[in-house]
Amino acid sequence: SAAGGGAGAGGGGVRQASAAGGGSGGGTAAVASPRRSRHHRGVLRTLWTVGAEGGLVGLYRGVTPTVAGILPYAGMKFFVFETAVQEWRAATNEHTASVPTHVRLLAGASAGLVAQTITYPLDVVRRNMQVESASGLAHLNMAQWAKRIIAEDGVKGLYRGLSVNYIKVIPTTAVGFTVYEELKAWMRVKPPQARV
């Protein structure tokens, strides 16, 4: 069945989905990185001002922590989703049937929960690096920022705001994966094993 995509493709399908998810997330982050500063208004004015002050490098300041955060997040999200769908197929012996919507929602919610929990500290470090770049701390790298946050707030500082983030990420990921799979089914996209 088209629904469920690579979920029935075995371990290779899960690894490929994880790699593809991470790659697409990293590529998107790198391309979309020219940042919006809190000191300016409007996208074009911000691009002009930041570009004039720091050149092309200034526009991409913070791209390293952004990509470092989105690669594992996107990869983990796809890995958990595909693994959950595979486990459902194995438990129900439904290798050809369409994956029910409630299973997709649950798998997507689990993917968002796990990926966000594991990678959230990278997001906290990234935000600190970008917000504080104008305060004389732009020379600090990701590891140094992580140490600074832990020294000031303990390990819990790396997870500040996580519970609020769950409110956004879990339903968004659940709906996102469900719509993605429904569209694949609607467009009759064949699972990998059916294309050979």
Side-chain angles (χ1 to χ4, degrees):
S1 166
V14 170
R15 286 190 296 276
Q16 289 171 341
S18 301
S24 69
T28 301
V31 170
S33 183
R35 63 197 180 103
R36 180 171 183 159
S37 169
R38 59 186 175 148
H39 302 296
H40 309 293
R41 292 184 177 218
V43 174
L44 292 178
R45 184 180 293 175
T46 298
L47 288 172
W48 178 263
T49 306
V50 174
E53 291 173 358
L56 188 62
V57 173
L59 290 173
Y60 283 87
R61 184 175 295 128
V63 71
T64 300
T66 299
V67 172
I70 200 67
L71 279 171
Y73 173 75
M76 179 65 63
K77 195 168 62 170
F78 275 87
F79 173 78
V80 173
F81 178 80
E82 295 289 343
T83 300
V85 171
Q86 275 192 11
E87 289 298 320
W88 175 83
R89 287 190 182 281
T92 60
N93 203 26
E94 292 283 0
H95 297 286
T96 58
S98 175
V99 178
T101 300
H102 72 277
V103 173
R104 292 177 187 165
L105 283 168
L106 187 57
S110 301
L113 175 71
V114 172
Q116 188 67 23
T117 303
I118 291 173
T119 63
Y120 191 74
L122 294 171
D123 197 42
V124 171
V125 170
R126 174 191 62 80
R127 282 196 309 265
N128 275 274
M129 288 180 75
Q130 291 177 329
V131 169
E132 301 295 337
S133 62
S135 66
L137 299 172
H139 62 283
L140 297 180
N141 61 31
M142 290 184 73
Q144 291 169 327
W145 263 111
K147 286 179 184 175
R148 180 183 171 89
I149 293 167
I150 292 170
E152 290 179 357
D153 302 319
V155 175
K156 68 180 183 197
L158 293 173
Y159 289 91
R160 180 165 288 133
L162 177 60
S163 58
V164 174
N165 226 41
Y166 282 150
I167 297 171
K168 176 187 79 172
V169 169
I170 293 174
T172 300
T173 309
V175 172
F177 271 113
T178 301
V179 171
Y180 167 71
E181 291 292 329
E182 289 291 343
L183 286 173
K184 280 191 349 183
W186 180 69
M187 292 186 290
R188 294 184 173 86
V189 175
K190 295 179 180 177
Q193 70 271 25
R195 294 182 201 148
V196 179

